[in-house]
Amino acid sequence: MNPFQIIADAAAKVATRAPKALLGVSVVLAAIGGWLGAMHLPLDADTNSLIGRDRPFMQRYQAFLDEFGDLEDMIVVVDPLGDDDAAQGRAREAVLELDAALRPLIDAGQLVHVHRGISAAEQWRVAPHAMAERDLHELARAETALKLLALGRATAAIEQAEQAIAATVPDRDRIESAIVTLDALAPPLPTPESMDGSSAIDDRSLGAELPERFLRSEHGRLWFLQAMPAKDFANFNAIAMPLAAVREALAGVQARHPGVEIGLTGKPVLQEDELATSNADMGRSSVLSLAVITVLFIWLFRGMRRPLLAVATFGIAVGITMGLAWLFVGRITLLSSVFLLVLVGAGLDYGVHIVSRFNEYLPGSTRAASAARTVREAGPGTLAGACATAVVFALAMFTDFGGLRELGTLACLGLLTSALVMVTVLPALLVTAGGSVSDPPRSTGLWIAVPARATTVIAAMAILVAAIAAPSNLRFDANLLSMQAEGLASVAWEQRVLADDATQTWFAASTAAGPDEAWELRERLRALPEVERVRSAFDIVRRPTPAGDAARAALAAAIPDLTRAKAVPRTATEGASGPDAVPTPSRHAPPSTVLTAERATRIRDGLARLTALAAASTDERASPLLRTLERRWTAVAEALADPARAADMQAAIDARAVRTARALAELRAGCLATIREALPAAVRASSMSPAGSWLLQVVPAGDAWDEPTLRAFVAQLRTIDPFVTGVPVTQVESIADMRRAFEFVSWLSLAAILVIAWIDFGSLRHALLATATVVAGVLIMLGLLGPLGLSLNLANFFAVPMLLGLGIDSAIHVLHRWKRDPEGLPATLTATAFTGVTTAIGFGALVLADHRGLASLGWAMLIGSISCVVVAVVVLPALLRWRAS
């Protein structure tokens, strides 16, 4: 016997013999399920959760995240709107104010960190790992000068330098110490360019006032800040509060800096904006479609009582489904939340057939008898259709894409629950509160006015044209950026960043256990044609060597450890008070460096003598440096001899003495630090892990949002590093998983609905006819997408298997009524047409969505639902009449 008939007969008995008990149990279950769903069903907004954790590429990516941490910052972008110095100055001021505006959000718990660039202190700290070994050794040999300068004893260092360059027989070590001192303390000579402010002075001495290295595009004009938001993945809007706070801060700075444009983008912002848009679209569409369907339901049956009972029953089904979701799935993700829209689009349909048959059978009968007959006759088709649809979604559980697996599970549970509730609880409600015979049922009939043969031929030709046109007109668009809402600011800024500098985009992550492996891997990756560049710590530091380690150790030994230094006695010329008794350079007050014009002149003369000696020697490096120092100390002597300029020159030398002490403290810290510890904070996490692994950020040469380009990029990377990971890899692999899932579920759905129809009808001929009906509707939809300018994409591709599952329901109901009672077919066609319309409305409301991906899903489901129902209520009856005539 038909298993669906057995279930329907049992449901009829329960619903009519103990309706109040059934209602009580169902309400309690719905209340418990709703409570579990609302209070204990966690929301997981992490997009990584959409990908199966059991996938090897995802396991590698998760291992990468576990080791290196979250590297996905919000990116604040400042466009100076020009390339001239004035525009760059405006950008710099805006960046500084933005940094000041965002830092309080760290204390407020909204942000984890904010980076605007690399400070002078960070530059000195990393310098020992960036300097050549020869430069490290030369600086270490100036130990005498370094000790005095580090302790802030600039006057004593100058005295020693003067003595060294005045010696009749120059001592190399003393001369090198003297050069370090004199280079550190004498201000650089202004160049013609620097005098008009068009460029900075090139000063690389210890006393240099190093400019902060701001985060800027390498090949463009944009300036950046990196801000890591506090992410709460237990909330669908994981960064909603930090994002709102950051945008408020940006708006305030923008108002005060109209000469620049300030924007916000980055993967977290793009995802949050997409989520906010899609959630608003989904919520609006669900409420709108449910309201419209309810109104149409009431209009169709000319009364409110029974349609509202069906809506109430649907609410019970949703409550029970939420409890099952808590029991069997345990969470709601961004994708699986779509199951509610599936229920709105399909769950109420089951109630339409029950109410339609109840209205039809009620005249001349009792409510209990009408309800029992309704369930026995309409129940099998309802259950079979729901089972077919549920199986289609259940097939997603066997795909590799985790998001689809959970959506399939929830939709399957929800559809089966809705069908069972509609054939049990709704009849029980109709028995207890379904009104009387005097409540007039709507009996609008639907039949075919066109001759059956002509209709069938016309329909067959249309389906044939659609089937032929579908492959040629249809394309698949995997560009995620193109699915975002038009006019979204974060998308516009992402596109502006890519247009300004294509290297500011996603990166693939290749890791190495040590520097030698990282260096070799870097060189091999850089040779690939699909690679634009490889970012790594090697952009800042040199490849470590044992000789370099020894040179850094020597330099660290030459600089005193000021954390343990005692107050240092000063020479008589340095006075009785001053900063030299303060061990930490950063706490120095400006020292009073005693330097007269006479001493500066003697130093200049000594440098001139050394310059002449160097010119006569073969030392090509010493002569240019000495000539420059001679000119600089000439300028110092002249300024000190001029009463109008002496004070300013003395202040400049004092400031350079303080900066020198601070620089030496950072140099020593950098020498003793590991490479990771020495790296600037803005690049540390993205260069090396706390465990010491090296990260190579590999940037694609083409558009990272273009899926074919990204796929070719990842394929090339894997020829060098089979274990490469990162967003491009997960993107390519997840798109491939989704494509395979689409093909797998579509073909198996076709087989599944055929088998279920065969089981239901007990006839292969009727099963093939029902299956052909829904396939025809899907083919028409695919044929129409191309001419309408629509394409399949990652948001709407699952419409095909959904339509196969939802569309078979209409064909099953029509064939069941034709087999049982051909004369009663018009009423069933009316109900079937209405359910097709409700499905179209349920999903079609998404055409109003701002999110272009969801809008495309709405169009696909709208066109597909109408196509399937037209074939079911027009073509199929015509074919049945033709065969019967």
Side-chain angles (χ1 to χ4, degrees), residues 96-147:
L96 292 175
E97 188 168 340
L98 283 167
D99 182 77
L102 293 176
R103 290 202 174 274
L105 299 180
I106 299 177
D107 297 332
Q110 304 281 15
L111 296 178
V112 178
H113 65 238
V114 176
H115 298 311
R116 74 185 189 209
I118 303 174
S119 68
E122 289 178 315
Q123 293 176 51
W124 283 120
R125 195 177 309 126
V126 77
H129 296 274
M131 295 169 63
E133 296 166 13
R134 178 176 177 177
D135 294 335
L136 290 168
H137 281 298
E138 287 183 356
L139 189 57
R141 282 198 294 269
E143 181 176 359
T144 303
L146 298 183
K147 290 185 181 299

Side-chain angles (χ1 to χ4, degrees), residues 413-429:
L413 291 171
L415 289 167
L416 291 177
T417 299
S418 296
L420 287 171
V421 169
M422 287 299 180
V423 299
T424 54
V425 177
L426 179 56
L429 279 172

Side-chain angles (χ1 to χ4, degrees), residues 538-588:
F538 293 125
D539 295 337
I540 299 176
V541 303
R542 289 178 176 267
R543 185 179 183 178
T545 62
D549 294 339
R552 279 184 286 276
L555 179 57
I559 303 173
D561 182 4
L562 298 183
T563 60
R564 295 182 299 174
K566 303 295 184 180
V568 180
R570 288 174 295 274
T571 62
T573 59
E574 290 180 290
S577 63
D580 295 328
V582 182
T584 304
S586 61
R587 293 171 55 194
H588 284 176

Side-chain angles (χ1 to χ4, degrees), residues 641-809:
D642 183 356
R645 294 189 293 153
D648 289 341
M649 177 55 72
Q650 186 66 61
I653 293 173
D654 286 347
R656 292 180 68 83
V658 171
R659 288 198 295 271
T660 298
R662 291 173 178 168
L664 288 170
E666 296 295 344
L667 279 172
R668 186 179 190 279
C671 287
L672 298 175
T674 64
I675 291 179
R676 186 179 191 277
E677 293 168 344
L679 285 171
V683 299
R684 184 181 301 134
S686 59
S687 299
M688 294 184 69
S689 74
S693 295
W694 289 61
L695 172 60
L696 305 177
Q697 299 182 21
V698 192
V699 179
D703 182 2
W705 292 96
D706 180 60
E707 193 261 342
T709 299
L710 206 60
R711 190 168 61 247
F713 168 68
V714 171
Q716 276 201 357
L717 294 187
R718 283 176 168 164
T719 64
I720 303 298
D721 180 6
F723 303 106
V724 66
T725 186
V727 173
V729 178
T730 61
Q731 189 80 357
V732 167
E733 291 287 357
S734 60
I735 290 175
D737 280 354
M738 293 177 75
R739 276 179 167 159
R740 285 191 295 269
F742 165 69
E743 295 173 359
F744 172 83
V745 174
S746 295
W747 287 112
L748 281 190
S749 296
L750 196 58
I753 61 175
L754 176 61
V755 171
I756 292 173
W758 192 357
I759 294 173
D760 182 34
F761 293 117
S763 165
L764 180 59
R765 180 170 62 86
H766 284 94
L768 287 171
L769 190 57
T771 304
T773 301
V774 68
V775 169
V778 172
L779 285 175
I780 293 173
M781 180 272 290
L782 293 176
L784 291 175
L785 287 182
L788 292 175
L790 300 171
S791 62
L792 286 179
N793 55 50
L794 297 175
N796 69 12
F797 75 103
F798 206 64
V800 172
M802 280 199 296
L803 286 171
L804 290 174
L806 294 169
I808 194 68
D809 184 72

